[in-house]
Amino acid sequence: MIAEETLVNQLQQTETQASAFGVLVDTYKERLYWHIRRIVLNHDDADDVLQNTFIKVYKNISNFKGDSKLYSWIYRIATNEALSFLKSKSRMMGVSDGELQDRLVENLKADVYFEGEEIQLKLQQAIATLPEKQKLVFNMKYFQELKYEEISEILETSVGGLKASYHLATKKIEAHLKEQKEYL
């Protein structure tokens, strides 16, 4: 694997940019896809957002200053692209963000790319009830197993705030799952 600093240098030089971008895509596409997928919940939408993310990275790599890790910068772009996509989709459909989340979770059942069992579906339903920040923190910590310091760089927020958000998210998810169990 190529060192991040070397990759950034190659990305920022015209003569090596194309091949370096291929390395960047190969290195990050799967992790970014799943990060985006957990936000937008739909395979086709995740593919579109992933493509938009890489386009933005390509267009803006010259602006990357190295203040954060490259992958943190890319994840931030992917997160913002996914959230913007959802806001745009809810406006186009004429529904609230919450209604859109409910529809996306419902559509998971019919999604041929969703490999989860019933418990996974219930977990996704519980996650969908969380406020946006708690949802992001939970997904990054629980599914991607990122460290709080990494999430802090991506979301540009304090580690303490992230720990509190994650704790609240897990409590809300537990409560939601218990409530669902009682209705069965």
Side-chain angles (χ1 to χ4, degrees), residues 48-71:
D48 290 346
V49 173
L50 180 63
Q51 186 173 1
N52 290 342
T53 298
F54 281 126
I55 290 168
K56 268 216 167 125
V57 167
Y58 189 82
K59 287 180 176 177
N60 295 295
I61 193 64
S62 60
N63 299 330
F64 179 70
K65 306 287 186 248
D67 297 337
S68 64
K69 291 181 178 164
L70 178 64
Y71 92 94

Side-chain angles (χ1 to χ4, degrees), residues 38 64 155:
R38 285 188 182 92
F64 179 70
L155 298 180

